[in-house]
Amino acid sequence: MNAVISLCHFCELHGPSVLFVTQAFHEPDGPETEREIEQPKFCYGNAVGRCRTISNNMPVSCEACQSLDPKQKFLCNDHEGRISYLSTQQATQPDVAALVRQACIRSLSCEVSPGKEGPVFFGDEVRGHVLSYTFFLKDAQARGFHRWFSITVLMRDKFFLLNSWPFLVDNIMTLVSALQAKAAKSGIYVPKVYECEQAECPQRALRLIVAHGNSDSKHQQQRTSRSLAELTADKEVFSWLHLRFTWLLKAGADRLVEKIVEGLPTPELYNHQETEEGFTLVTTAKQVHSPVLELEASASHDASPISPVVHNIRHLHQILGPTPFLSLAYSLMVGRQLILRGKPAGLIASIANCLNVLVPRSCYQAVLNSDQYLDVSHCNILSVEPQVAVPQPSPDILRLDVLQPCDHAEQSDVNKYTYKITWGDKLPKKCPTVLLAMEKAIENTKLNDSAMHYHFIALKQEWLGIAKVVHRVQQWNGGQPQDVTALLQAMGAQEQDQGLLEFWGASATYKEH
């Protein structure tokens, strides 16, 4: 979880101060070949090196503000995820330290829950978003017999933080209760330190004596600042906090996984209910059909040890060539049926799997290893073996024949196969705008595969939205043909995009109903 967790304290002498900060440092991604041979390291993301950048010119403060020795640091490593969790008195980067300091001041001054103890959310896009939990620790020598603390979780991602609210609040409450109950009797919320001091020398009576001017020299001078370790009677309290904060960062990242969806989920796919915290809990009502997962499972099951595979859409563009690839992609995007015929089955399945990035899920229906021909009402991508009878290519059917090399030793090399496209039509003079944008991204060698994947998702979302608008406008007229040229121009579409928009809009509407 890309967050910074901090323990803050309100000092009676110096105001709000940051006592303890835990951060996660990720190892930068390198080439896969380098990552496979890379051994576990002492730390990741140069966590230890960043400690040297912490300024030693700390402002003069008291024992309470510097409960942790500035030279003391705590480090934990997640070797599997290649992440280091580092805890120090202040954040290692100056800009992060400034944000943590700002969150500390607000959490212990103006941004407080109504009961003075509990969670509150505040922040903005510039200074980050913060979940703050304020609480008190009893102290016989403090003003009001208690000291004020807060635990803050600072993030840039507002929605991730809000979605993590129930998890974070529940675990921070447990942490605070344990901190308050350290060295307590029978779990009562009165620390033994406070109880013993009050029994030895009642502070309320002492303060009344001092107030009336009858103080005795034998009375010890009241200490206005004490460290957290002294308040809790635990010298290892900061190592304990380091383990708890590290677990929060690790578990918070593992419990939520980003899933990119196309459009809003349909009501029949989920149930929702309101939680006590006011959030909406969404659970799936039935198993979601995923043709992509089926293709991946088929490819891994059917592929022989020497069976080649097409790794991604860029690889497919490379082995087919620009013009054959455009013919294949155009046919899929405008609703034509693709027939993939040949062997081995693993190679055919990998080609079908690569094509799913070109169109929305509603426009992608694939059937693999069929023993007979199925028309376009059943699927728009069909893979068969060479002996299966299929219709002759026509304007509505494009066939890709994959021919194995004669030399058995060359059958493990995907580039040794022959790829023959037969189609009863030809490419238009102008291809759809989204197809040209995708082809440009594929040919851009400076764009890595991961960035290209998300670029394709953004393009599909944009043009799927346009397709839905155009389809709804046509439905308002009772399904009668009408001129939508002005609408297309207003939305940035052109005449060559009409076939694609009709297919995408109709498929999306059919899936919703």
Side-chain angles (χ1 to χ4, degrees):
M1 185 167 67
N2 292 324
V4 180
I5 303 182
S6 308
L7 174 66
C8 308
H9 164 60
F10 188 89
C11 177
E12 296 178 4
L13 299 177
H14 306 98
S17 61
V18 180
L19 299 183
F20 194 67
V21 178
T22 302
Q23 298 173 263
F25 297 93
H26 300 255
E27 187 74 4
D29 292 332
E32 294 297 327
T33 54
E34 294 182 8
R35 286 182 61 90
E36 290 174 1
I37 62 175
E38 196 169 3
Q39 299 298 322
K41 302 169 63 175
F42 174 72
C43 69
Y44 302 96
N46 193 25
V48 174
R50 294 175 187 269
C51 295
R52 303 189 184 99
T53 64
I54 299 178
S55 174
N56 293 324
N57 299 325
M58 299 285 294
V60 178
S61 58
C62 59
E63 188 177 354
C65 296
Q66 285 193 349
S67 295
L68 178 67
D69 186 347
K71 297 181 180 179
Q72 191 174 7
K73 303 170 181 64
F74 301 90
L75 179 68
C76 285
N77 289 319
D78 175 12
H79 294 294
E80 183 179 353
R82 309 192 77 77
I83 305 171
S84 287
Y85 299 93
L86 178 68
S87 294
T88 53
Q89 184 180 356
Q90 61 174 331
T92 57
Q93 303 100 319
D95 55 340
V96 177
L99 295 177
V100 171
R101 172 68 177 167
Q102 182 72 22
C104 168
I105 294 174
R106 296 179 66 180
S107 70
L108 293 172
S109 57
C110 56
E111 303 289 355
V112 183
S113 60
K116 293 293 184 179
E117 282 192 302
V120 65
F121 172 82
F122 61 88
D124 51 49
E125 296 296 333
V126 178
R127 290 169 289 189
H129 303 280
V130 181
L131 187 157
S132 171
Y133 193 101
T134 53
F135 62 98
F136 296 102
L137 289 182
K138 287 286 187 178
D139 183 4
Q141 299 184 12
R143 184 182 303 167
F145 302 105
H146 62 249
R147 297 193 184 275
W148 202 10
F149 292 83
S150 71
I151 294 176
T152 62
V153 182
L154 172 67
M155 292 186 67
R156 288 291 190 185
D157 192 336
K158 174 182 178 181
F159 296 103
F160 191 96
L161 182 58
L162 290 176
N163 285 324
S164 302
W165 175 286
F167 167 79
L168 292 174
V169 169
D170 288 346
N171 285 281
I172 292 177
M173 286 178 60
T174 303
L175 188 153
V176 168
S177 299
L179 197 62
Q180 291 173 335
K182 270 187 171 297
K185 291 183 177 180
S186 305
I188 302 175
Y189 167 68
V190 181
K192 187 185 296 182
V193 175
Y194 173 79
E195 186 180 71
C196 293
E197 289 179 348
Q198 288 288 61
E200 180 180 350
C201 181
Q203 293 294 312
R204 191 178 299 276
L206 176 61
R207 294 182 186 184
L208 288 174
I209 294 174
V210 173
H212 288 84
N214 296 323
S215 59
D216 198 322
S217 59
K218 65 180 180 181
H219 293 303
Q220 297 180 353
Q221 185 178 3
Q222 180 178 334
R223 296 177 59 191
T224 58
S225 63
R226 293 198 291 181
S227 67
L228 181 64
E230 188 176 354
L231 288 178
T232 57
D234 184 1
K235 295 181 179 179
E236 304 298 330
V237 64
F238 285 106
S239 60
W240 178 81
L241 284 172
H242 170 70
L243 295 177
R244 297 303 185 275
F245 286 176
T246 297
W247 182 85
L248 274 178
L249 290 173
K250 171 65 175 173
D254 292 343
R255 63 181 293 271
L256 292 179
V257 179
E258 183 180 14
K259 182 66 176 178
I260 300 175
V261 297
E262 294 171 353
L264 296 174
T266 54
E268 65 270 11
L269 289 181
Y270 64 88
N271 294 324
H272 64 277
Q273 59 186 20
E274 294 290 334
T275 63
E276 295 180 357
E277 296 84 1
F279 294 90
T280 301
L281 178 64
V282 179
T283 56
T284 56
K286 63 180 182 179
Q287 185 177 4
V288 180
H289 174 71
S290 177
V292 177
L293 294 180
E294 291 181 0
L295 291 179
E296 292 176 347
S298 176
S300 61
H301 175 75
D302 296 331
S304 62
I306 62 171
S307 177
V309 294
V310 178
H311 301 293
N312 50 45
I313 196 66
R314 181 171 280 160
H315 190 199
L316 181 62
H317 179 272
Q318 176 187 346
I319 63 176
L320 290 183
T323 302
F325 174 82
L326 279 180
S327 300
L328 189 72
Y330 173 80
S331 299
L332 177 63
M333 286 183 165
V334 298
R336 309 289 192 265
Q337 186 179 38
L338 306 183
I339 299 178
L340 311 179
R341 188 169 69 170
K343 284 186 176 183
L347 174 58
I348 303 301
S350 68
I351 294 175
N353 191 24
C354 291
L355 293 173
N356 75 82
V357 302
L358 298 176
V359 293
R361 290 188 180 95
S362 57
C363 303
Y364 184 86
Q365 296 293 328
V367 175
L368 298 184
N369 301 328
S370 177
D371 55 359
Q372 61 179 351
Y373 170 74
L374 300 174
D375 61 27
V376 71
S377 62
H378 293 86
C379 60
N380 62 343
I381 297 181
L382 175 68
S383 76
V384 296
E385 293 190 350
Q387 67 273 13
V388 177
V390 295
Q392 290 295 322
S394 66
D396 295 328
I397 297 177
L398 181 145
R399 191 177 73 212
L400 171 62
D401 291 296
V402 180
L403 307 177
Q404 290 180 308
C406 298
D407 189 353
H408 183 74
E410 295 180 346
Q411 292 184 4
S412 61
D413 187 357
V414 68
N415 295 308
K416 299 297 182 180
Y417 285 73
T418 301
Y419 304 91
K420 181 181 179 182
I421 286 183
T422 311
W423 186 27
D425 202 350
K426 61 181 180 179
L427 284 172
K429 293 182 179 179
K430 290 185 178 181
C431 289
T433 307
V434 63
L435 175 56
L436 296 178
M438 288 181 173
E439 183 190 29
K440 185 178 180 180
I442 291 173
E443 294 175 348
N444 185 359
T445 57
K446 295 183 180 180
L447 198 66
N448 61 37
D449 294 338
S450 178
M452 183 179 67
H453 172 71
Y454 286 102
H455 178 53
F456 278 18
I457 291 174
L459 287 173
K460 288 189 294 183
Q461 288 279 30
E462 176 187 359
W463 285 91
L464 182 60
I466 296 174
K468 289 181 178 180
V469 171
V470 173
H471 187 76
R472 291 295 173 87
V473 169
Q474 291 177 337
Q475 283 185 329
W476 289 340
N477 197 29
Q480 298 296 326
Q482 58 178 322
D483 187 12
V484 293
T485 304
L487 176 62
L488 293 177
Q489 292 178 351
M491 303 188 73
Q494 302 180 29
E495 183 180 354
Q496 64 266 25
D497 300 315
Q498 287 193 14
L500 179 144
L501 296 176
E502 290 176 4
F503 174 56
W504 286 22
S507 299
T509 304
Y510 174 77
K511 287 293 182 180
E512 290 176 356
H513 296 287

